[in-house]
Amino acid sequence: MIHCWGVSASFALLQLQSLSESTVIFLKNNFLYRFFHLYFFEDLSRNPVDGFSAGLVDDSNLFEWNVTIIGPPDTLYEGGYFTAIMSFPPNYPNSPPSVRFTSDMWHPNVYPDGRVCISILHAPGDDPNGYELASERWSPVHTVETILLSIISMLSSPNDESPANIDAAKEWRETKEEFKRKVSRIVRRSQESM
């Protein structure tokens, strides 16, 4: 039996049998991608990390994950349970996944539709706007864990210099008490929904 980073080839083949035909065709063409992705999913399942949990939206689709991020201690988001969908593109890990909160979120670096805007989720290479260094952007060395830890860090330290949500950034800078009240309501709602 062949082992690759702790994932057996027979386990990977069993997983292939339960997928849709179009997904199997894609994965046969991208077997290394599949192996890496399966490795990261299995690793997170065996070795959970404090602050978040992750699982597949649908067992037959490794490209979409449900994630729950726990609001970090000593922040406005402390105690909240924020759900999101992480979607992986077909050319992952060469391109970054996208992350979109499905629960309410009020944050300068989260678009009103829930999409997360942090440097490591931006396409690799030079920033056409000149705000980020290429070294701050996506790199195939990032994992689900590093992405989610970066989102937890984002919750701790909003970047209002290049916001995704201009209204939240303005409120963060100018009327922080109102910002705190909104976040407190969101945290409370997230707790009630669990």
Side-chain angles (χ1 to χ4, degrees):
M1 182 179 310
I2 299 171
H3 287 272
C4 181
W5 304 286
V7 177
S8 71
S10 61
F11 177 76
L13 291 174
L14 285 173
Q15 293 298 314
L16 279 173
Q17 293 171 356
S18 65
L19 300 175
S20 70
E21 184 177 337
S22 60
T23 303
V24 170
I25 291 169
F26 173 81
L27 293 175
K28 284 181 180 176
N29 293 331
N30 295 281
F31 190 71
L32 187 56
Y33 162 81
R34 167 85 170 133
F35 231 34
F36 275 118
H37 209 56
L38 187 58
Y39 164 73
F40 288 126
F41 180 72
E42 288 298 310
D43 186 51
L44 277 176
S45 297
R46 283 190 308 270
N47 305 305
V49 178
D50 286 342
F52 67 84
S53 65
L56 299 177
V57 170
D58 175 347
D59 286 342
S60 66
N61 182 2
L62 283 175
F63 301 102
E64 275 203 348
W65 293 20
N66 276 320
V67 296
T68 299
I69 297 170
I70 300 166
D74 303 320
T75 70
L76 298 176
Y77 301 90
E78 181 174 14
Y81 297 93
F82 305 104
T83 57
I85 299 289
M86 183 178 288
S87 301
F88 296 87
N91 64 339
Y92 175 84
N94 294 323
S95 293
S98 63
V99 179
R100 184 181 55 81
F101 281 102
T102 54
S103 58
D104 289 340
M105 179 54 67
W106 185 246
H107 192 283
N109 307 115
V110 177
Y111 287 99
D113 68 358
R115 288 177 295 132
V116 174
C117 180
I118 55 175
S119 298
I120 68 166
L121 293 179
H122 295 159
D126 292 327
D127 179 6
N129 300 314
Y131 291 118
E132 302 165 334
L133 300 173
S135 62
E136 297 172 320
R137 296 167 70 87
W138 177 255
S139 167
V141 300
H142 288 298
T143 63
V144 170
E145 182 178 342
T146 62
I147 294 164
L148 293 174
L149 290 173
S150 293
I151 293 171
I152 290 169
S153 176
M154 172 201 79
L155 292 176
S156 301
S157 304
N159 174 3
D160 61 357
E161 293 177 19
S162 60
N165 185 328
I166 294 168
D167 294 332
K170 184 177 178 185
E171 197 169 85
W172 167 258
R173 282 190 300 261
E174 297 174 7
T175 55
K176 202 164 267 192
E177 287 308 312
E178 181 58 27
F179 184 90
K180 288 178 181 180
R181 277 192 290 280
K182 282 185 182 174
V183 171
S184 180
R185 283 192 297 268
I186 289 169
V187 167
R188 202 168 34 258
R189 278 196 304 264
S190 76
Q191 293 166 336
E192 291 167 358
S193 69
M194 290 308 279

